[in-house]
Amino acid sequence: MTDEEVSISIVTFNNAAILEERMTILLNIFKLNNISKIFIIDNASTDNTSKILEKISNQEPKLKLILLNENNGFGYGHNQAIYRTTSKYHVIMNLDTTPSSDLLLEKMTEYMDNNQNIDLLSPLVKFPNGEIQYLTRNEPTIFDLSIRFLGPKWFKKRQEKFIHVNDGYDHNQKILNATGSFMFFRTKSLQYVGGFDERYFLYMEDTDLTKSINQYGNAIFSPDFEVIHEWQRGNHSLSGARLMITSMVKYFNKWGWRLF
């Protein structure tokens, strides 16, 4: 890779307990792939996250640390890097996501270079035990999102169709609803659509961004590229459910209310 080829952004919030271990793992991978700039955006953590990040950034010249004074959400945090980067490609990823091979980012860069019509490349995501995370999702409807609150046994066939259990993970295909745990973008396309819609605090912002990209160009899923995601989420709590419902309303207000 040449300089300014790939940049990465990770948003942190109260991650002090795992931060040093995760950053050690990720920084080693980033260095192997010659990543040009690593943006770490902290969403006004209330633990020691910012102090740990300052210590790490003092030792890592490619790490650009952005400490925010208030938490305005996942998308807002990533946008601070999206607005600043001058790279050819930009990766949005979670702190708990790990490329499954050391040179994955280099291989994804080569793939994007050879496929100029792709604006967003979404990889196969697996749990640490090797099981597939079913994240090749359809564009949501009110019904599809509502029944997911009931649990996987309700309207099982419909839920399996929504996440493409039978046809979504063994071949390249257009993706309508990519996961924000790892997204590999052509930077000019990402900046053209304006990055994340900052009206979403948490949840649905990745769905919204995928739709924006597909309005402009192409979002593609490929199982040839794999990442491991530890899946640290909070939407099963009452506060998480409220956030999810709020984001659902914002999404359907923006793109239209599709019942079924």
Side-chain angles (χ1 to χ4, degrees):
M1 293 184 187
T2 59
D3 288 345
E4 298 299 313
E5 185 127 54
V6 180
S7 58
I8 287 173
S9 60
I10 296 172
V11 171
T12 58
F13 179 72
N14 288 352
N15 298 120
I18 64 168
L19 190 57
E20 287 188 276
E21 178 184 358
R22 290 300 304 154
M23 288 305 299
T24 298
I25 292 169
L26 293 175
L27 285 170
N28 286 335
I29 293 173
F30 297 160
K31 289 174 183 177
L32 286 172
N33 288 267
N34 297 313
I35 299 303
S36 59
K37 188 167 288 185
I38 305 147
F39 294 92
I40 306 294
I41 307 96
D42 185 65
N43 269 347
S45 290
T46 56
D47 61 3
N48 289 325
T49 295
S50 61
K51 291 182 179 179
I52 296 170
L53 286 173
E54 287 175 334
K55 176 184 175 183
I56 295 171
S57 67
N58 287 334
Q59 302 167 351
E60 297 292 341
K62 290 186 177 181
L63 198 157
K64 171 64 176 176
L65 181 59
I66 302 173
L67 301 177
L68 300 179
N69 294 322
E70 58 181 323
N71 184 358
N72 291 314
F74 178 88
Y76 178 91
H78 276 291
N79 278 352
Q80 306 317 300
I82 293 168
Y83 299 155
R84 289 170 169 81
T85 188
T86 57
S87 63
K88 186 176 182 181
Y89 301 110
H90 185 71
V91 179
I92 288 164
M93 63 180 290
N94 287 0
L95 183 65
D96 63 352
T97 300
T98 309
S100 61
S101 62
D102 287 344
L103 297 180
L104 178 78
L105 296 166
E106 190 170 283
K107 292 175 181 176
M108 294 183 83
T109 301
E110 183 179 355
Y111 185 84
M112 292 287 275
D113 283 344
N114 292 331
N115 294 272
Q116 294 291 321
N117 63 319
I118 297 177
D119 303 281
L120 163 60
L121 182 58
S122 182
L124 179 66
V125 183
K126 290 185 175 181
F127 289 104
N129 66 4
E131 292 182 9
I132 291 173
Q133 292 185 20
Y134 293 112
L135 299 173
T136 303
R137 302 162 293 179
N138 284 334
E139 187 175 341
T141 66
I142 298 167
F143 180 74
D144 285 316
L145 293 182
S146 297
I147 61 176
R148 287 170 71 81
F149 283 103
L150 301 175
K153 294 182 180 180
W154 289 80
F155 301 96
K156 186 177 180 181
K157 288 186 178 180
R158 176 71 184 219
Q159 292 211 46
E160 289 181 348
K161 181 180 179 182
F162 178 70
I163 58 175
H164 289 267
V165 168
N166 297 318
D167 64 351
Y169 302 91
D170 62 355
H171 63 284
N172 286 18
Q173 60 189 286
K174 188 177 184 69
I175 188 167
L176 302 177
N177 188 351
T179 172
S181 61
F182 190 99
M183 308 173 99
F184 194 107
F185 287 97
R186 197 173 301 278
T187 302
K188 66 178 183 180
S189 304
L190 178 60
Q191 292 176 337
Y192 179 84
V193 301
F196 284 103
D197 186 331
E198 295 175 4
R199 288 175 291 183
Y200 303 95
F201 182 81
L202 186 64
Y203 307 122
M204 302 297 293
E205 69 284 329
D206 47 3
T207 304
D208 180 274
L209 183 52
T210 308
K211 187 168 179 66
S212 294
I213 287 290
N214 277 323
Q215 297 280 309
Y216 165 76
N218 293 296
I220 299 295
F221 164 83
S222 175
D224 294 335
F225 310 101
E226 294 185 11
V227 299
I228 307 301
H229 180 215
E230 295 182 20
W231 199 263
Q232 297 175 5
R233 302 187 67 169
N235 60 319
H236 294 297
S237 66
L238 183 59
S239 60
R242 286 173 178 167
L243 276 174
M244 182 64 165
I245 292 169
T246 300
S247 293
M248 286 167 56
V249 171
K250 290 177 180 178
Y251 179 86
F252 290 122
N253 279 341
K254 178 177 180 179
W255 297 106
W257 287 75
R258 295 177 59 220
L259 178 59
F260 193 82

